[in-house]
Amino acid sequence: MADSNTQIAPETLIDGNILVAKSFARCGVTHMFGVVGIPVTSLANRAVSLGIRFLAFHNEQSAGYAASAYGYLTGRPGLLLTVSGPGCVHGLAGLSNAMANAWPMVMISGSCDQKDAGRGDFQELDQIEAVKPFSKFSVKAKDIKDIPNCVVQVIDQAVSGRPGGCYLDLPSDVLHQTVTEPEAESLVTAAFNSSKSKSVANGSEVPTSEIEGAVELLRKAERPLIVFGKGAAYARAENELRKLVETTGIPFLPTPMGKGLLPDTHELAASAARSLAIGKCDVALVVGARLNWLLHFGEPPKWSKDVKFILVDICKDEIELRKPHLGLVGDAKKVLELTNKEIKDDPFCLAKTHPWVEAISKKAKENVSRMEAQLAKDVVPFNFLTPMRIIRDAILGVSSPAPIVVSEGANTMDVGRAVLIQTEPRSRLDAGTWGTMGVGLGYCIAAAVAEPDRLVVAVEGDSGFGFSAMEVETLVRYQLPVVVIVFNNGGVYGGDRRSPEEITGPLKGDPAPTSFVPSAAYHILIEAFGGKGYLVETPDELKSALAEAFSARKPTVINVVIDPYAGAESGRLQHKN
């Protein structure tokens, strides 16, 4: 008989914060980016206690950019945690960037108590409505028991089909509700098992007839071209691409973030002969790249009016939008595997002496020689080419794994695309499909935590750097191996570019809209937090700073002073201004 004085211990209760953290941990989440505050600080702490590394930022925009890039680099959704109202609004920058680039990401925002909605509660906003234009799926946990299923839904949706940004809304009252520990475990297990039982289809098998049709088009083409983008990089299709290119001898052209899937130095690389390649090709196999502004919409005059596009995309809607000659809906890696298999049964290959291959090779060599002649000059005060050459050589001097290069800015990014050489997949991050400026520091942090064995090198314009410059403190706080190189030319495109006739009116004494404080000491900013800063104005100073920084692999800012008149307005998009 039990002792009448024996007390039964009450069951342990866990709140919504712990249940959210448990649910994400069960889904394999290992990193979270964000800015804490009411009502999500406890959620961040609970996540950390369960082994999810939380990278705390100064601004939700940068944290969101980090989450989006993390999704691209790892293939798993990057998580952004924000507070309610304005925190959610700031986070939309990262969420929309993920959608534009087709990268998997989940934004999680706290929201006001449900009973107070519509009454003017603290930071109240209809966040589900606010995120609609910027997300592929959104859901609100209206009760603590909804949390595990909601978590599983956003994780699954972020990676299914064409990847993108998803949103999870967590009202404050739900985060404070409680369930027993056994009930919580049961809820998490049921949601996780339900997710596992559903096979998330990344497109059905491409019909054999379509693969045969694509191969026949390439076989009969006189001037074929293979174009690939970051969709192929996300799909980890580099081995299949290499096999296709080297089996068929067809020249290839990567989009900026497709660079490195095959080395830029490959003999069939057409990047240095881009205008000729896209202007004269008669059949273009486009893999994991959209025929958008980056590829001139696939239209004349940049492309031949007679070119036949074979478009490979995970999204059927994309195929229907672009209306290619032949559309193959499916995962890039799988489609290329089938293509290679079809070619193997009846192989063909363009010889090095093929007129098309020779024309591409000749033009590429001519353009590279012309560029190298310009790069060989040591121009001081610096133009863009001299420091970019020195940076290129320093990066190439790092043994594998190659550094991840992050780049933004009008002139800095454009020159970097032409000069910096990518030799390994997913080793370049830049402004991307949406042309987003301010991504630099967020991308750096994402790359450093996603690929901890790699050095991360950011090559930034001073304007692009300024969007997120405070995050250098975040670099120092987490001691991340990131070297930030700022091309400092005193403003957007440069300093004051106005003609005397433009400097008129009652505010003519104000600085130009494009100008910053001349000779800004960006290198001192990181030193305020304990990082290392360098000011460089000559080739020898830059070489020395790069050697020390690359060897130390510590948070660093190298402030490279550029001639304020060296750049061009809007880089390569002058006609847009």
Side-chain angles (χ1 to χ4, degrees):
M1 185 178 210
D3 186 338
S4 60
N5 292 322
T6 302
Q7 302 233 344
I8 298 173
E11 287 189 286
T12 303
L13 297 177
I14 70 170
D15 67 7
N17 294 293
I18 299 175
L19 189 54
V20 173
K22 277 181 175 288
S23 301
F24 277 116
R26 185 70 64 89
C27 289
V29 169
T30 57
H31 290 83
M32 187 182 289
F33 309 87
V35 178
V36 297
I38 296 170
V40 297
T41 304
S42 293
L43 171 52
N45 287 326
R46 297 295 82 76
V48 171
S49 71
L50 291 176
I52 297 174
R53 190 179 191 194
F54 190 87
L55 285 298
F57 282 67
H58 290 275
N59 183 286
E60 291 93 351
Q61 288 187 11
S62 291
Y65 296 144
S68 67
Y70 180 90
Y72 168 64
L73 291 170
T74 66
R76 304 187 304 274
L79 264 60
L80 166 66
L81 180 65
T82 85
V83 301
S84 48
C88 173
V89 171
H90 291 169
L92 293 178
L95 191 65
S96 55
N97 191 64
M99 284 300 296
N101 286 299
W103 292 346
M105 173 185 162
V106 173
M107 183 167 92
I108 311 144
S109 295
S111 58
C112 71
D113 282 8
Q114 294 175 93
K115 65 179 176 56
D116 293 326
R119 302 172 63 198
D121 196 18
F122 174 69
Q123 295 189 336
E124 182 190 332
L125 173 68
D126 185 347
Q127 291 163 198
I128 290 290
E129 194 64 30
V131 304
K132 276 184 179 177
F134 309 105
S135 60
K136 61 183 287 194
F137 175 79
S138 59
V139 65
K140 176 185 283 195
K142 297 179 180 178
D143 184 89
I144 187 171
K145 293 179 182 179
D146 297 339
I147 286 173
N149 275 325
C150 289
V151 166
V152 164
Q153 282 181 288
V154 291
I155 290 287
D156 285 350
Q157 289 284 342
V159 295
S160 66
R162 167 170 280 176
C166 294
Y167 175 71
L168 173 58
D169 194 89
L170 297 172
S172 180
D173 53 298
V174 172
L175 292 174
H176 290 95
Q177 290 173 0
T178 58
V179 292
T180 65
E181 197 160 28
E183 188 176 7
E185 184 59 33
S186 175
L187 288 166
V188 172
T189 300
F192 184 68
N193 288 341
S194 170
S195 171
K196 282 176 65 178
S197 68
K198 299 174 193 165
S199 68
V200 179
N202 268 339
S204 55
E205 190 84 347
V206 181
T208 302
S209 61
E210 293 185 2
I211 296 293
E212 290 172 348
V215 171
E216 193 62 17
L217 279 168
L218 291 172
R219 187 190 307 278
K220 291 183 175 178
E222 294 181 9
R223 297 176 301 281
L225 181 68
I226 297 171
V227 180
F228 51 82
K230 61 181 177 292
Y234 177 81
R236 270 56 179 176
E238 53 266 23
N239 292 334
E240 290 72 23
L241 271 171
R242 179 184 287 274
K243 184 176 181 181
L244 177 61
V245 165
E246 295 183 350
T247 298
T248 63
I250 297 175
F252 67 88
L253 177 71
T255 63
M257 274 193 269
K259 283 162 63 73
L261 285 174
L262 274 74
D264 288 341
T265 51
H266 195 286
E267 62 183 358
L268 288 169
S271 295
R274 189 178 190 273
S275 295
L276 172 66
I278 67 176
K280 297 294 185 182
C281 72
D282 58 354
V283 174
L285 173 64
V286 182
V287 185
R290 282 172 278 180
L291 294 175
N292 58 16
W293 69 277
L294 283 163
L295 289 172
H296 313 289
F297 308 105
E299 296 173 349
K302 295 291 186 180
W303 295 83
S304 164
K305 64 182 176 61
D306 299 318
V307 63
K308 294 177 180 176
F309 286 107
I310 306 166
L311 192 57
V312 179
D313 200 283
I314 194 70
C315 179
K316 185 178 180 181
D317 290 345
E318 181 69 21
I319 302 288
E320 292 175 349
L321 172 68
R322 306 298 175 182
K323 297 179 174 57
H325 184 81
L326 177 61
L328 305 179
V329 181
D331 174 76
K333 183 181 175 78
K334 292 177 183 175
V335 172
L336 290 174
E337 283 174 353
L338 293 170
T339 303
N340 285 325
K341 185 178 178 182
E342 175 68 21
I343 291 172
K344 183 181 176 183
D345 294 337
D346 187 9
F348 67 95
C349 184
L350 276 61
K352 292 181 182 178
T353 56
H354 187 283
W356 175 237
V357 177
E358 279 194 332
I360 293 286
S361 177
K362 181 184 178 189
K363 177 57 73 174
K365 286 175 181 175
E366 288 174 357
N367 288 343
V368 166
S369 294
R370 195 175 297 114
M371 173 69 82
E372 287 299 324
Q374 293 297 313
L375 289 168
K377 302 171 186 174
D378 279 344
V379 178
V380 181
F382 279 144
N383 59 9
F384 281 87
L385 292 176
T386 297
M388 200 68 77
R389 180 204 79 222
I390 296 168
I391 294 164
R392 176 196 68 183
D393 294 346
I395 290 172
L396 289 174
V398 178
S399 59
S400 189
I404 292 179
V405 174
V406 175
S407 188
E408 63 177 332
N411 294 282
T412 306
M413 184 174 65
D414 279 343
V415 174
R417 283 173 174 173
V419 176
L420 300 179
I421 293 173
Q422 261 63 56
T423 58
E424 296 181 14
R426 293 165 296 281
S427 59
R428 179 181 176 83
L429 296 166
D430 66 24
T433 303
W434 223 25
T436 313
M437 291 297 149
V439 295
L441 272 293
Y443 280 8
C444 286
I445 293 164
V449 299
E451 304 269 5
D453 295 333
R454 290 182 186 257
L455 175 68
V456 180
V457 180
V459 185
E460 307 249 305
D462 51 358
S463 175
F465 173 69
F467 280 86
S468 59
M470 191 62 186
E471 302 301 345
V472 297
E473 187 275 338
T474 311
L475 298 181
V476 175
R477 190 170 4 117
Y478 292 100
Q479 282 298 294
L480 300 174
V482 176
V483 177
V484 181
I485 304 163
V486 181
F487 277 49
N488 181 358
N489 62 355
V492 181
Y493 319 130
D496 191 340
R497 297 300 188 86
R498 296 173 298 176
S499 66
E501 293 75 27
E502 292 178 288
I503 306 174
T504 59
L507 300 176
K508 63 183 180 181
D510 265 6
T514 57
S515 65
F516 299 152
V517 170
S519 303
Y522 296 120
H523 56 294
I524 295 178
L525 179 63
I526 196 168
E527 290 179 349
F529 306 114
K532 179 67 174 175
Y534 296 89
L535 173 65
V536 303
E537 298 181 90
T538 67
D540 286 343
E541 289 174 350
L542 179 55
K543 290 173 185 175
S544 175
L546 289 169
E548 288 182 21
F550 283 16
S551 176
R553 296 194 172 218
K554 297 288 186 183
T556 304
V557 169
I558 300 175
N559 184 9
V560 182
V561 178
I562 305 290
D563 183 342
Y565 293 97
E569 185 179 8
S570 297
R572 294 182 184 172
L573 291 174
Q574 293 97 328
H575 66 286
K576 296 287 186 184
N577 239 354

